[in-house]
Amino acid sequence: MELGFSETLVRLSHVVQHEFAEASRAQDLTPQQAQLLCVLIAGPVGMTDLSQALHLEKSSLTGLVDRVERRGLVARVPHEHDRRACRIALTDEGTRLAHLAHRGVTDRLDALTADVPPDRRALLAAAVAPLLAAGAGSRR
Amino acid sequence: MELGFSETLVRLSHVVQHEFAEASRAQDLTPQQAQLLCVLIAGPVGMTDLSQALHLEKSSLTGLVDRVERRGLVARVPHEHDRRACRIALTDEGTRLAHLAHRGVTDRLDALTADVPPDRRALLAAAVAPLLAAGAGSRR
DNA sequence: TATTGTTATACTCTATAACTATA
DNA sequence: TATAGTTATAGAGTATAACAATA
């Protein structure tokens, strides 16, 4: 059966999401919580920026942060100059889980793609790179 | 910044999921509902098979099917020989929406990937094909 | 006035456990 | 006994609208 390029992307995405969900669950995290933690590895982020990065309404994000905060994985750090704002930062335990989850996904996907030769990996990564730039942050 | 192959896949997947969600919403469907309808385009499927195809517990699927059935998009068709079983089939309206949603995702992704040259598309599709076979159905 | 983040509300999605009916 | 599907329950995820506090 012939698959169009877009359909290939969609199916690939489902496989990746499934691996991501399993790796998250291994740390007793929901995929959304794991994604949040992984985004925070780069450093603390404010709620507004975070909602854009995750494509979530701010009100949805409040609850998501509440639940991981309740579990001691992140903390709301008050902004120094703007008393309305806060930044979400990983705790030590949050950092630990974030790396475990990240590693879990990476390992699973590496195992799954072990048969893809290095030159094809490079080609694929290069072909896809512009998409990531376009889809990630530059379209709010 | 260097991205590993797995990380590229994860980010790509997030972009695709986001486009999928937007295309679904354009038809007033949740992504889960749209995915269900798209799976059913190939033909009616029983609950057990469907739960495996979607990586969902059967009890979760019951509610998902309930909601799209309530909206008149699918019907539970009794199985001819097994009175316990049923198959979920698209209605006319469901078929219409399924194709609209499918087309919506395809169009968005085509637009997003317009700059990827044909030979790279083919390479990517070839590199990824084994993954899809492995991740889709053959691992129960 | 505009922005940051939260609250209130109403759904949808999901899993686990227990169940019914049929095979 | 085993299988197909549902119900009961509880919690997580999400959006919309309205809000409080600060800029």
Side-chain angles (χ1 to χ4, degrees), chain A residues 1-5 7-8 11, chain B residues 38-39 41-42 102 125 129 132:
Chain A
M1 171 183 157
E2 277 296 322
L3 271 190
F5 187 61
E7 282 157 331
T8 300
R11 297 208 184 185
Chain B
C38 286
V39 166
I41 288 180
H102 183 273
L132 302 185

Side-chain angles (χ1 to χ4, degrees), chain A residues 9-109:
Chain A
L9 289 181
V10 171
R11 297 208 184 185
L12 173 61
S13 162
H14 286 149
V15 172
V16 173
Q17 291 297 309
H18 184 235
E19 298 301 324
F20 192 92
E22 297 225 321
S24 306
R25 175 170 258 228
Q27 312 305 327
D28 197 30
L29 295 169
T30 66
Q32 292 84 354
Q33 291 169 357
Q35 195 190 2
L36 170 60
L37 296 189
C38 286
V39 165
L40 293 177
I41 288 179
V45 186
M47 294 293 279
T48 299
D49 287 350
L50 212 42
S51 74
Q52 288 168 357
L54 300 177
H55 299 301
L56 276 181
E57 289 300 317
K58 283 191 300 181
S59 58
S60 307
L61 186 56
T62 294
L64 183 58
V65 170
D66 282 349
R67 287 182 289 273
V68 290
E69 185 180 37
R70 200 181 308 145
R71 205 170 133 188
L73 305 181
V74 307
R76 284 172 162 92
V77 180
H79 194 286
E80 300 93 78
H81 307 306
D82 188 339
R83 296 212 326 241
R84 297 170 301 178
C86 65
R87 284 181 311 162
I88 313 305
L90 289 174
T91 61
D92 288 347
E93 173 68 358
T95 303
R96 194 179 71 82
L97 274 197
H99 282 110
L100 279 176
H102 183 272
R103 179 63 178 275
V105 190
T106 301
D107 285 353
R108 278 160 207 268
L109 290 177

Side-chain angles (χ1 to χ4, degrees), chain B residues 30 57 59-60 67 81-84:
Chain B
T30 65
E57 290 300 316
S59 58
S60 306
R67 287 182 289 273
H81 308 307
D82 188 339
R83 296 213 325 242
R84 298 170 300 177

Side-chain angles (χ1 to χ4, degrees), chain B residues 25-74:
Chain B
R25 176 169 256 229
Q27 311 306 327
D28 197 30
L29 295 169
T30 65
Q32 293 85 354
Q33 292 169 355
Q35 195 191 0
L36 169 60
L37 296 189
C38 286
V39 166
L40 293 177
I41 288 180
V45 185
M47 294 293 279
T48 299
D49 288 349
L50 213 42
S51 75
Q52 288 169 356
L54 300 176
H55 299 301
L56 275 181
E57 290 300 316
K58 283 191 300 181
S59 58
S60 306
L61 186 57
T62 294
L64 184 58
V65 170
D66 281 350
R67 287 182 289 273
V68 290
E69 185 180 38
R70 200 181 308 144
R71 206 170 133 188
L73 305 181
V74 307

